[in-house]
Amino acid sequence: MVPMEAIKSTVFRYWSEHASSFNARASHIEFAQEWAAVLAQAVPMPPARDVVDLGTGTGACALILAALGHRVTAVDGADGMLVQARQNAEAMGVDVRFVQGDVDDPKLPLASWDVICARNLFWTLPDPSRTLATIRGLLRPGGVLLFSDGVWRDPADPAGASDTTYGDVNDSLPFYGGIELADAEALLNRNGFGDIRHWHHLFATHPYPKPTPRRFFVLTASPISTPGAVETTT
């Protein structure tokens, strides 16, 4: 078994090394207007919310929600990604507080945040349930998780099946290659989230052009006192 810290270090190192090339084709850069239109509905203004973007990468939700007027703190463990994210924020003229840290222990005040974002994060996590427990602890009563992900490496595709992005660490990531909507909902249900609402149908233009597999989702969910049946609204 690969130690947890070794898994995370491998993932952080990979994304630090690939930050620049990733940023050049990142969906939140290439399709910023489409993402802004959808996130404006999922996290409406007013009021301005206190937001944490976990695993922000080169800006993911942070840049767009800050531009919409929310107060945003963005966390990532890959220093190379944060360098690029800071440059993006400066270029856009938005105010985002960037923090280098572990999404499972971001050293942020508990029960102090209205929205926690996790976009394209969960497929890189060694322990998704631990991360959801962290998110529950960060949210204020009435707060929401904004969760977006998709299927990035389809096992039916020979290129996806043979992918070795993180080397031996791939097998330590439960959702490596991506996560289907149904699996995401089941994961949320098991970890005490409900009131699931879908937002991906609002995209006028698909924000992940081919050859990326075209299955993706954007949803919000709220902690519930007793895990049980998930309530889903499209």
Side-chain angles (χ1 to χ4, degrees):
M1 179 179 294
V2 182
M4 182 73 69
E5 290 309 310
I7 297 170
K8 292 185 176 185
S9 293
T10 298
V11 173
F12 295 158
R13 183 170 59 253
Y14 175 87
W15 287 112
S16 283
E17 292 172 353
H18 292 80
S20 179
S21 60
F22 170 81
N23 188 69
R25 53 188 170 79
S27 179
H28 61 278
I29 303 296
E30 187 175 359
F31 296 94
Q33 291 184 339
E34 289 85 348
W35 278 103
V38 174
L39 295 188
Q41 301 230 12
V43 187
M45 283 276 291
R49 321 292 177 99
D50 293 314
V51 178
V52 175
D53 188 18
L54 286 180
T56 191
T58 64
C61 297
L63 302 174
I64 294 167
L65 289 173
L68 291 172
H70 299 287
R71 299 176 293 270
V72 182
T73 295
V75 178
D76 205 285
D79 56 353
M81 284 292 205
L82 289 178
V83 168
Q84 188 68 62
R86 290 187 178 97
Q87 293 175 0
N88 290 343
E90 183 176 355
M92 288 181 60
V94 297
D95 184 17
V96 177
R97 176 192 175 212
F98 291 101
V99 177
Q100 184 172 2
D102 187 337
V103 299
D104 292 327
D105 186 19
K107 302 293 192 299
L108 298 175
L110 299 178
S112 299
W113 308 92
D114 302 306
V115 180
I116 306 296
C117 301
R119 194 183 124 204
N120 302 350
L121 169 67
F122 272 70
W123 74 279
T124 71
L125 296 176
D127 189 348
S129 292
R130 178 182 176 186
T131 306
L132 285 172
T134 297
I135 290 169
R136 286 176 61 91
L138 291 170
L139 285 170
R140 289 175 174 145
V144 299
L145 164 63
L146 174 66
F147 182 4
S148 180
D149 222 300
V151 178
W152 314 120
R153 288 172 173 78
D154 196 330
D157 180 347
S162 62
D163 179 80
T164 57
T165 294
Y166 305 128
D168 294 340
V169 169
N170 289 359
D171 292 339
S172 299
L173 307 176
F175 294 114
Y176 180 75
I179 179 170
E180 299 279 7
L181 173 59
D183 294 328
E185 291 178 341
L187 176 69
L188 291 170
N189 189 25
R190 291 195 302 272
N191 287 278
F193 285 81
D195 189 24
I196 295 176
R197 301 173 184 268
H198 298 161
W199 305 96
H200 41 275
H201 63 286
L202 298 177
F203 278 92
T205 302
H206 198 291
Y208 296 106
K210 292 181 178 180
T212 303
R214 299 179 66 80
R215 300 192 300 281
F216 80 105
F217 60 85
V218 179
L219 60 82
T220 51
S222 301
I224 53 178
S225 55
T226 305
V230 131
E231 298 177 5
T232 304
T233 303
T234 299

